[in-house]
Amino acid sequence: MGLKKQLISANLNLFGEQTLSLAKIYIPAFLFIFLVWLTSELTSISVYELVSDPHEVGRIAPYVGIVSNVGLLFFCCTATTCLFTSYLMPADNKQNKKWRLFFQCSGYLMLLLLIDDGFQIHENFSTLLFGVDANIGVINKKLQSVLETIVFGFYGSLFCFYGLYFKKLIYRTKTLLLVLAFGFLGMSILVDVLPENLKGHFILEEGFKLLGIVSLMAYYIKLCYQTVKKTL
């Protein structure tokens, strides 16, 4: 009889643990779906626009934006690798704690860039603040330009703080790929501010950007592999 009670208690505990685990997975997902529906109810945006594929909504070919989409995949790969590595890192000493924090911050930074690039937040910041009509007219275009500069300034400050805070760790790594990444991304931004009628404008802008993202991905994945291999 005592063994039966122990089995029942063990099964109840297991059921409780599984329920809690499932709740952590599905509650955020259900909340996200609910917020999407609520946004549609409170605004003039249809549910179809919020949930459907952009190519379907805009009725455009699937190859449109292929370079940008590949860049998003690389950002996602980099963020995932860094965050996964941070969870693998043991926090048994001060040095490992620093590396763990470095990979966590790197992963969240890549995730921020992924979200910004995926939803084009830096180019549509005025729309988020003032609505769709904010991009109409010369004055509002100037406003958008100012807001975009502020967003890029924020990202620049964030990267500077990140670099200064983790400079001792970064100096201990092979930084060539990291230097190339910022060089390519800087050239992409430079081309972006040039007139669009410049020959090769778009391929140069997006090409340099993709090379920068690839360099970031290569730097962090190689570093994650080396660190985990050495630690574990």
Side-chain angles (χ1 to χ4, degrees):
M1 196 69 181
L3 179 61
K4 186 176 180 180
K5 288 183 178 180
Q6 288 179 359
L7 289 173
I8 293 174
S9 177
N11 287 329
L12 287 174
N13 290 335
L14 180 61
F15 177 78
E17 290 176 1
Q18 290 178 337
T19 302
L20 181 61
S21 178
L22 290 174
K24 290 179 180 179
I25 296 172
Y26 290 109
I27 287 178
F30 280 120
L31 283 176
F32 175 71
I33 296 171
F34 173 75
L35 288 174
V36 169
W37 172 81
L38 187 63
T39 300
S40 176
E41 291 294 310
L42 298 177
T43 65
S44 58
I45 305 173
S46 68
V47 172
Y48 172 71
E49 290 177 293
L50 290 172
V51 303
S52 300
D53 185 88
H55 293 87
E56 179 184 345
V57 176
R59 299 187 183 279
I60 54 179
Y63 56 78
V64 173
I66 186 171
V67 175
S68 179
N69 289 334
V70 169
L72 292 176
L73 292 175
F74 288 160
F75 265 139
C76 183
C77 178
T78 309
T80 304
T81 303
C82 288
L83 291 174
F84 186 68
T85 301
S86 72
Y87 288 112
L88 287 178
M89 290 291 297
D92 53 355
N93 58 62
K94 188 176 181 180
Q95 189 65 23
N96 283 343
K97 286 181 180 179
K98 287 182 179 179
W99 279 110
R100 186 175 185 177
L101 181 61
F102 171 74
F103 286 121
Q104 281 180 340
C105 292
S106 300
Y108 287 126
L109 193 57
M110 293 300 108
L111 185 61
L112 176 63
L113 294 178
L114 168 65
I115 294 171
D116 177 88
D117 199 37
F119 295 100
Q120 292 293 291
I121 295 175
H122 63 279
E123 292 187 3
N124 298 286
F125 201 65
S126 59
T127 303
L128 295 174
L129 291 178
F130 307 111
V132 177
D133 294 334
N135 287 325
I136 301 176
V138 177
I139 296 177
N140 288 321
K141 285 183 179 179
K142 291 182 178 179
L143 173 64
Q144 167 61 24
S145 179
V146 172
L147 290 173
E148 188 172 339
T149 303
I150 293 174
V151 173
F152 277 124
F154 169 74
Y155 288 149
S157 301
L158 200 61
F159 270 105
C160 287
F161 178 78
Y162 167 85
L164 290 172
Y165 190 82
F166 293 111
K167 64 180 180 180
K168 291 183 179 179
L169 294 182
I170 295 173
Y171 286 155
R172 295 171 58 184
T173 68
K174 297 178 181 179
T175 58
L176 177 60
L177 285 169
L178 193 61
V179 172
L180 288 173
F182 283 107
F184 286 131
L185 293 174
M187 286 189 282
S188 176
I189 295 173
L190 179 62
V191 175
D192 183 39
V193 299
L194 295 176
E196 292 185 358
N197 57 5
L198 176 71
K199 187 176 181 180
H201 178 277
F202 295 108
I203 189 64
L204 287 173
E205 179 188 351
E206 295 300 325
F208 282 136
K209 179 181 172 183
L210 184 63
L211 289 173
I213 297 172
V214 168
S215 301
L216 282 175
M217 182 181 68
Y219 170 78
Y220 282 111
I221 287 180
K222 289 180 68 175
L223 182 58
C224 287
Y225 172 75
Q226 292 167 359
T227 305
V228 171
K229 185 178 180 180
K230 181 179 178 181
T231 305
L232 301 181

